[in-house]
Amino acid sequence: MPRFSIVVPSHGVAGRLSQALDSVLAQSFGDFELIPVCDAPDAPAADVVAGYAERDSRVTPVHSPPSAGLAGARNTGLKAAVGGHVLFLDGDDVLVPGALAALDARLSAVGDVDVLYFEHERTPWWEGEPTNPAAPLLARTPKGAFSPGRAPQLTGVALPAWSAVYRRAFLTERDLAFPGDHFTDVGFGGLVALRAERVAALRAVVVRHLLRRQGNRLGLPGEHHAELLDQTELVLTRAAEQDLPADRLKPLFEQLFAAVLKTAAHPRRLTSERRAFFRRASALYRRHRPAGYRAPGGSVGVQHRLLASGSYAAFRTLRAAHRTASRAAALLPRPRGLRTRLRYAAALRLPLDRNLVVYCAYWGRGYACNPAAIHAKARLLAPQLRSVFLVEPEAVGSVPRGVEHAVIGSRKYWQVLARAKYLVNNANFADAVVKRPGSVHLQTQHGTPLKTMGADQATYPVVAAATGSFARLLARVDRWDYNLTSNRHSTEMWERAFPSAHETLEYGYPRNDVYCTASADDVARVRKALGVPDGKKALLYAPTHRDYATGFETGLDLAEFCEAIGDDYVVLLRAHYFYDQGSSRGGGRIIDVTGHRSSEDVCLAADALITDYSSIMFDYANLDRPIVAYADDWDVYRETRGVYFDLMELPPGRVARTPEELAAVFRDGSYADETATSLRAAFRERFCQFDDGRAAERVVRRVLLGEPPESIPPVIPLAERVPAPAATLVRS
C-alpha cells in the first residue's frame, strides 16, 4: 500500500496538467500513486495522461464524466485510491519540491491523525506577490496532534480541499465524500472537520495554486451560487445534529456567512434571483445563529444585522452605496474621430442583428483562411444569414464577386461591427470593438503553434517587444466565445497562451477542408493558374518570419538550389505574409507566389514542401506529401522565439541543416523515401487529427446555426481520409 494517493481532476486544464503531474513525479519521496481523473478516454487531458501512464507505473488514470463535476471527479479518484493517505490536487496546482517528504515526516511525528492541514500559496497568473491565506489559520494551532476543539478557528470551510491530506480509512469509515457540485470544498471541508477526532498542522507551503486569469469558476455569474447556501445548510445542519459546542459553532457560523454575504453583496455574481438568495440566506441565518451570538462591528456587522432582519431593500441600498462609478468607463468605445465614436456609440444602442455575420482575416488583408472557408460554407448551409467581410482598402480587389464587404475604418465597418451577432476572425478585432451581450465571437486561429504565442511570449524579450501590451492582447482574448483547434497539441497550447473563459471547438481548420475534397482537376487548374510547367515537380519553399530579422531573409540561394537539384523541378516561393509587398522575387525556375490569395491553392499545386519552422507544415501534412525541414538556424530560432516542442525530435520528414544537405535529399530522392514516409506518418498522427474535410460544416452548424454538440458530424478517422492527389508524385 503506497503512503499517499494523489487525486488530480483534469477537466478544463489540459494545457497546464503536465505541470501538475511533473511536480508530483519529480518529488524526492516516491512512495505514492498518482490518480489523474479524465473526462473520457478521448478527452484532451487523456492524451496528456496516457503518455505519463506509459512511462511511470505509479500513474493510474480513471475517468469521470464532465457532468459529474469536480465533486464527482474527486469521489471517483477517492474510490480508486489504495494509499494510506489521500491528497487532492487540482490540475492547475503543483506540489512544491520536497512536499511529500515534508508530509511524510510530519505524519510520522504526530502519529495517526485523521487530517493534516498545511499551508498553500496562491500565485497570481501574471504579476503580483503570492499570498498564503492558510498561514493565519494554522499559526495558532497546537504543535502536535490535537482535537478540533483546541483550534476552533480551524473549521475546514475556509480552506480548499487541496490544503490538507486525509487518512483514507477515516474518509471511508465515516462515508465522507464531496457533496453537490459547486462549492463542494465548503461542504467537504466542514463535514471533515466535524467528524475528525485528531488533527494536526504543518506550517509550511505544500501546494502552489496558480490563480487563473479568468478567475475561479465559482466567481462567475450564474445560478450555481444558490449551491453555496446548500453547502452552508448541510454543514450547519450536521453541526446542530452533532450538538457542536458554542466555541466551535461560532467561528463555523461566521466563516460560512462571510462567504454568503460576499456573494450577496457582489454586483455580478447573482444575475437573477438575488432577492430569493437573500431571503433564503436570511432564514438560514436566523435558524442556525448560535445562542448569544454578537455580530462583528463595522460595515460587515451592518450586513449581518440586515441579513438577520431580512431587510433586502436596505441591504440592496447599502450594496449600491459601496459601488464605484468607474465600471461604465471601460465600456466606452474608442474608435478614432469624434464623429465615428458618436456613430458607433449610437449603433451600439440598437438591437443586435441576429442574422448578421462579420468576417475578417489577417487584419483585413483579404478574403482568406478559415474565415473565408466558413463564409463559403455558411452561404450553402445558412443562406438566410447576411455576411460582411472586412478588408483594408488595398485588399478590396481580392474579395470575390458577390461577397459583401466593408472597408476597415469606414462608416459601414463600425455599423456592422456594432450590430452583428456573429464575429469571425483568425486574428483579433480592433481594441475599440465592444463585446456586446448576446454577440458571439469565434476565433479560428491561422495555424498550429510551433512557436510560442500569446502570454507565453512574455519571457522572450525580442518577441515581447514586438507584441506590445499583453494586457491589451488578453483583453481582446476575453471577447472570444469559441476558439478553434485542429489537433490536441493546439488545444493544450492555446489554453496556455490565451487564458480566458472561451470554449474550445476541436473541429479542425475549415481552410484545410480542401485538402480532402479537391480533385485531380482542381490540382491541375491551380498549377496552370500559378504557371507551373507541365511535367515539372513543384517544390513549395515557405520560410517563416524571424523576429530577430529586419526583413525577408533566407539562408537559401534559390537560384543555386535549382541548379543543384536538376531541371525536373521548379520552386514556388511563398514568403511570410509580413513580406507581401506586391513585388515579385521570382525568375527562371522560381515562381513567386507570396502574393497569391490562397495558401491552400499553393499547397495543392506543390508536390513537396520545404519549410523551416512555418506552421504551413501542419496544414500541408494533411496532403500526405513529402515535407523537408530546412533548419539552418534552429538553435537561434528556438532560443529567441521560443517553441512548444523540439522539431528536430519530431520532424515531418527529412531535416537539412545546410544548402548542400537540402539539395542532396532531392538529388538522391531521400526526401520521399521510407524513412521520410515514416516520419511524416508519425507527424500526421499527432497534428492532423481533426482536419477531415468537414470542419467548416461543423463550425457553421454549431456556431452560426446553434445546433447542439451531439448533432455535429464526427471527425473522420485519419486512416479513412483520401487527400487530394499530387500532380507528379505518388503518395505513399
Side-chain angles (χ1 to χ4, degrees), residues 464-657:
T467 301
S469 168
F470 284 96
R472 291 172 63 185
L473 167 66
L474 293 169
R476 296 190 290 269
V477 171
D478 283 340
R479 297 184 302 209
W480 302 355
D481 292 291
Y482 298 104
N483 185 35
L484 202 58
T485 76
S486 59
N487 47 61
R488 282 284 160 78
H489 165 77
S490 296
T491 298
E492 296 169 24
M493 296 310 105
W494 294 146
E495 183 179 304
R496 284 177 43 181
F498 302 117
S500 193
H502 52 262
E503 179 181 349
T504 296
L505 300 179
E506 292 185 322
Y507 287 175
Y509 284 158
R511 71 180 185 190
N512 292 343
D513 285 353
V514 68
Y515 299 141
C516 291
T517 61
S519 65
D521 289 341
D522 294 323
V523 173
R525 172 184 53 78
V526 171
R527 285 169 66 90
K528 182 177 181 180
L530 294 177
V532 179
D534 291 340
K536 294 292 186 181
K537 299 173 183 176
L539 305 179
L540 173 58
Y541 176 52
T544 192
H545 166 66
R546 280 144 174 82
D547 299 273
Y548 47 86
T550 56
F552 178 66
E553 299 178 3
T554 173
L556 182 64
D557 187 315
L558 290 179
E560 290 185 2
F561 173 69
C562 287
E563 288 298 319
I565 62 177
D567 294 337
D568 291 340
Y569 299 93
V570 296
V571 173
L572 305 176
L573 168 62
R574 189 169 181 84
H576 192 276
Y577 58 81
F578 285 177
Y579 310 114
D580 179 11
Q581 304 299 328
S583 57
S584 175
R585 305 177 185 86
R589 289 160 52 200
I590 303 169
I591 304 172
D592 190 348
V593 295
T594 302
H596 189 76
R597 177 179 61 83
S598 170
S599 63
E600 296 78 56
D601 281 357
V602 174
C603 288
L604 285 173
D607 299 293
L609 170 67
I610 304 169
T611 188
D612 40 24
Y613 326 117
S614 170
S615 64
I616 199 171
M617 72 178 78
F618 303 100
D619 304 314
Y620 191 83
N622 286 287
L623 290 167
D624 197 14
R625 302 177 190 175
I627 303 174
V628 177
Y630 179 52
D632 60 328
D633 61 347
W634 169 247
D635 294 332
V636 175
Y637 185 86
R638 178 177 56 184
E639 292 299 321
T640 306
R641 185 59 173 85
V643 295
Y644 286 122
F645 67 93
D646 190 343
L647 184 64
M648 301 302 102
E649 295 294 326
L650 189 68
R654 292 287 186 177
V655 176
R657 294 277 193 167

